C-alpha cells in the first residue's frame, strides 16, 4: 500500500511528509553551508595570525568574515582617549569563503531536484523559500555575533610612551549593519540558487523556461568552469610556492581567504583590463609580490599587463592562460549545446556570459582599507599604525574588452566543436 492516489498524485499524508522532509533538507543545506564557510574562514584567519587577537576577538572576527563573504557590511570604529583620534575602514570580500559557501549551498539545493526534467515554478519557489527562511535566521545570528572591541598595542618605543603619557591606547571595534547585511545576504543566496539552476544540466526548470536552457545553460556552465579553473590553478601555484619558498602560513591564509580575489583579478588583467590602486603604510598584497611593487607608489598606480610586465615579464602568461581557458570553455559550451545553434550564436552567447562574468569580478574584487592614529592633531604617528590600500577596476574598459574576447573565442570554440556529436544532431549512416 502506498499513499499515492490512483491518478498518480501524492495523497495528503505524502504531501505533509514531503513538506517535513523539505524543511529538514533545507536546514541541512543551510547548516552545511555555514559550517563549510566557518571552517574555511577560521583556518584562514588562524593562518593569518588572527588567533592572537586579544580579548577573545577570534570568534567575532570569524563571524564578521562570514558576513562580509556574502556581501554584508562590517563597520569599523576606534577610540584613543580624549587627546587622540582613530579612523578605520575596510571593504573587502573574502571570496574563498564566499565560493565555498556558494558551492555547498548550491549542491544541497540541487540534490533533491536531480534526475528530473521539469519542475513547477511554485515547487521551486517553495523549496528555495524554505532555504531562504532558514538562511535569513542564520544571517541575523551571524550579524549579531560579528561585533567586538579590543585594544591595539603601541609597542615599547616612543609611540608607546606617548600613549601611556596621554592615555591614548587605541581601541578598535567592529560591528555590522544588520538590516543591510541581512538584505544583501538574502540577495546573495538568491543569486547562488538561480546560478545553480542555470549551470546544472540535470536541474529541472519550469516548463515556460525550457526554451531558454539551450542558450543559457551551456554558456553559464562554461564561464563558471573558467572561474573555478582559475582558482584551482592558483591553489596549485600557491602550494608549489609554499613547498619551495616557505611562508607556509601566509600562503595558506591567502588560499583560504582570498585566492579567487587574486586569480579572478588575474583573469581580467589577462584580458587587458586595468585596475587602479595604491598601497601605503603596513598594508600590502600578500602574493604575488609584484602587485605590491606596482601599487606602492606616491600616486595612484595602474595595474595591467604593461605595468606588471615592467617588473616581471612572466605576467604575459596570463594572456596565454586566458586564450587557452576561454577557448576550452567555448568548446565545452558548443559541445553541450544543441546542434541547431549556429557558430555566430555561440559567439554572442559567449560574449554575453563573459561580460556578465567580468562585471561580477569588478564588483566583488574591489578592495579598500585604511587605518590612522593622530595625537593632538598630528597624524601618521608611528608609521606602522597608519596605512591605506585600495584597488578598483576601470569598469567600462574591462567590460568593453570582454565583448571581443567572447565573440572571438565563442566563434572559434563553435568551429572546434563541429566534429563533436551533439544533442539533436543526426549524422548519415555511412559517417563514423
Amino acid at each position: 500500500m502506498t499513499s499515492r492516489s490512483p491518478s498518480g498524485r501524492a495523497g495528503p499524508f505524502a504531501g505533509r511528509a514531503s513538506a517535513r522532509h523539505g524543511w529538514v533538507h533545507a536546514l541541512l543545506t543551510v547548516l552545511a553551508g555555514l559550517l563549510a564557510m566557518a571552517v574555511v574562514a577560521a583556518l584562514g584567519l588562524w593562518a593569518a595570525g588572527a588567533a592572537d587577537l586579544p580579548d577573545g576577538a577570534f570568534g567575532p572576527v570569524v563571524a564578521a568574515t562570514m558576513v562580509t563573504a556574502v556581501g554584508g557590511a562590517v563597520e569599523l570604529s576606534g577610540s584613543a582617549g580624549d587627546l587622540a583620534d582613530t579612523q578605520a575602514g575596510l571593504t573587502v570580500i573574502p571570496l574563498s569563503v564566499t565560493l565555498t559557501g556558494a558551492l555547498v549551498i548550491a549542491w544541497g539545493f540541487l540534490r533533491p531536484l536531480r534526475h528530473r526534467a521539469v519542475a513547477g515554478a511554485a515547487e521551486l519557489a517553495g523549496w528555495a523559500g524554505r532555504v531562504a527562511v532558514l538562511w535569513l535566521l542564520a544571517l541575523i545570528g551571524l550579524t549579531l555575533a560579528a561585533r567586538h572591541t579590543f585594544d591595539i598595542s603601541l609597542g615599547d618605543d616612543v609611540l608607546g610612551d606617548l600613549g601611556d603619557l596621554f592615555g591614548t591606547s587605541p581601541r578598535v571595534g567592529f560591528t555590522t549593519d544588520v538590516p543591510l547585511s541581512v538584505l544583501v545576504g538574502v540577495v546573495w543566496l538568491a543569486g547562488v540558487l538561480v546560478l545553480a539552476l542555470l549551470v546544472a544540466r540535470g536541474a529541472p526548470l519550469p516548463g515556460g523556461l525550457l526554451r531558454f536552457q539551450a542558450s543559457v545553460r551551456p554558456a553559464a556552465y562554461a564561464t563558471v568552469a573558467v572561474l573555478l579553473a582559475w582558482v584551482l590553478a592558483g591553489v596549485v601555484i600557491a602550494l608549489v610556492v609554499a613547498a619551495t619558498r616557505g611562508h607556509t602560513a601566509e600562503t595558506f591564509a591567502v588560499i583560504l581567504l582570498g585566492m579567487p580575489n587574486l586569480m579572478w583579478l588575474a583573469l581580467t588583467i589577462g584580458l587587458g583590463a586595468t585596475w587602479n590602486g595604491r598601497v601605503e603604510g603596513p598594508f600590502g598584497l600578500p602574493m604575488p609580490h609584484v602587485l605590491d611593487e606596482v601599487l606602492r607608489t606616491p600616486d595612484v598606480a595602474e595595474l595591467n599587463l604593461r605595468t606588471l610586465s615592467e617588473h616581471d615579464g612572466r605576467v604575459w602568461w596570463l594572456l596565454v592562460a586566458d586564450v587557452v581557458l576561454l577557448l576550452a570553455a567555448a568548446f565545452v559550451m558548443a559541445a553541450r549545446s544543441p546542434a541547431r545553434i549556429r557558430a555566430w550564436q555561440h559567439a554572442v552567447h559567449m560574449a554575453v556570459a563573459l561580460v556578465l562574468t567580468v562585471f561580477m569580478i569588478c564588483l566583488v574584487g574591489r578592495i579598500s582599507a585604511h587605518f590612522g592614529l593622530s595625537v593632538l592633531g598630528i597624524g601618521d604617528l608611528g608609521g606602522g599604525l597608519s596605512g591605506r590600500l585600495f584597488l578598483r577596476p576601470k569598469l567600462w574598459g574591462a567590460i568593453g574588452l570582454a565583448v571581443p574576447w567572447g565573440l572571438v573565442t565563442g566563434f572559434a570554440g563553435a568551429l572546434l566543436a563541429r566534429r563533436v556529436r551533439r544533442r539533436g544532431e543526426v549524422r548519415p549512416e555511412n559517417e563514423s
Side-chain angles (χ1 to χ4, degrees), residues 37-82:
M37 295 173 70
V39 169
V40 172
L43 291 176
L45 291 168
W46 174 78
D52 298 328
L53 290 173
D55 305 327
F58 184 70
V61 168
V62 171
T65 302
M66 295 171 65
V67 171
T68 57
V70 298
V74 174
E75 301 171 350
L76 300 182
S77 61
S79 63
D82 296 333

Side-chain angles (χ1 to χ4, degrees), residues 52-426:
D52 298 328
L53 290 173
D55 305 327
F58 184 70
V61 168
V62 171
T65 302
M66 295 171 65
V67 171
T68 57
V70 298
V74 174
E75 301 171 350
L76 300 182
S77 61
S79 63
D82 296 333
L83 301 178
D85 179 59
T86 59
Q87 293 182 344
L90 177 65
T91 302
V92 62
I93 300 178
L95 290 177
S96 293
V97 182
T98 305
L99 182 61
T100 300
L103 292 175
V104 173
I105 291 174
W107 178 82
F109 174 72
L110 293 175
R111 182 171 173 79
L113 303 174
R114 66 193 187 281
H115 308 314
R116 298 174 56 187
V118 181
E123 179 186 0
L124 290 177
W127 172 222
R130 293 186 182 97
V131 177
V133 168
L134 297 171
W135 178 252
L136 174 65
L137 297 176
L139 278 179
I140 294 174
L142 275 178
T143 54
L144 294 177
R147 54 185 64 197
H148 197 75
T149 302
F150 52 90
D151 294 322
I152 296 180
S153 173
L154 296 178
D156 299 325
D157 54 9
V158 176
L159 183 61
D161 295 336
L162 283 174
D164 294 336
L165 176 63
F166 293 110
T168 58
S169 298
R171 291 178 61 82
V172 173
F174 60 90
T175 185
T176 52
D177 185 332
V178 176
L180 178 60
S181 298
V182 170
L183 175 62
V184 175
V186 171
V187 172
W188 175 86
L189 176 69
V192 169
L193 301 186
V194 170
L195 187 60
L197 289 173
L198 292 179
V199 171
R201 176 186 287 183
L205 291 175
L209 298 179
L210 290 177
R211 64 181 182 275
F212 298 111
Q213 67 176 346
S215 59
V216 175
R217 271 189 167 166
Y221 177 88
T223 50
V224 169
V226 168
L227 293 176
L228 294 179
W230 269 101
V231 174
L232 180 60
V235 171
V236 172
I237 294 171
L239 291 177
V240 172
V241 170
T244 57
R245 300 184 183 180
H247 306 290
T248 304
E250 294 86 348
T251 301
F252 274 94
V254 172
I255 292 175
L256 294 168
L257 294 176
M259 184 55 69
N261 298 70
L262 289 174
M263 298 312 296
W264 294 348
L265 169 68
L267 186 158
T268 61
I269 291 177
L271 296 177
T274 295
W275 292 64
N276 291 330
R278 186 185 177 193
V279 174
E280 60 177 330
F283 293 116
L285 298 174
M287 63 176 289
H289 185 61
V290 65
L291 298 181
D292 190 79
E293 291 180 346
V294 173
L295 295 176
R296 197 172 290 278
T297 59
D299 300 317
V300 176
E302 289 189 341
L303 194 67
N304 52 39
L305 284 174
R306 177 183 59 80
T307 58
L308 288 172
S309 64
E310 293 174 356
H311 295 262
D312 191 339
R314 292 174 297 180
V315 300
W316 288 104
W317 283 105
L318 299 179
L319 174 63
V320 177
D322 270 340
V323 171
V324 172
L325 289 176
L326 289 178
L327 276 177
F331 173 84
V332 170
M333 179 189 69
R336 292 169 65 95
S337 300
R340 68 177 183 275
I341 297 181
R342 300 176 181 178
W344 69 266
Q345 292 174 306
H346 286 300
V348 173
H349 297 164
M350 189 66 184
V352 172
L354 190 57
V355 164
L356 294 175
T357 300
V358 170
F359 179 70
M360 180 273 298
I361 293 173
C362 290
L363 288 182
V364 303
R366 299 167 182 261
I367 300 175
S368 175
H370 71 272
F371 178 78
L373 170 68
S374 63
V375 178
L376 296 176
I378 303 174
D380 297 330
L381 286 178
L385 288 176
S386 296
R388 181 177 299 273
L389 160 67
F390 73 88
L391 186 65
R392 55 176 178 258
K394 290 187 175 180
L395 178 61
W396 295 112
I399 290 176
L401 288 166
V403 174
W405 271 89
L407 291 174
V408 172
T409 56
F411 191 85
L415 297 180
L416 292 173
R418 279 186 170 180
R419 294 184 176 274
V420 177
R421 185 182 296 276
R422 290 178 283 171
R423 290 183 295 121
E425 183 177 19
V426 179

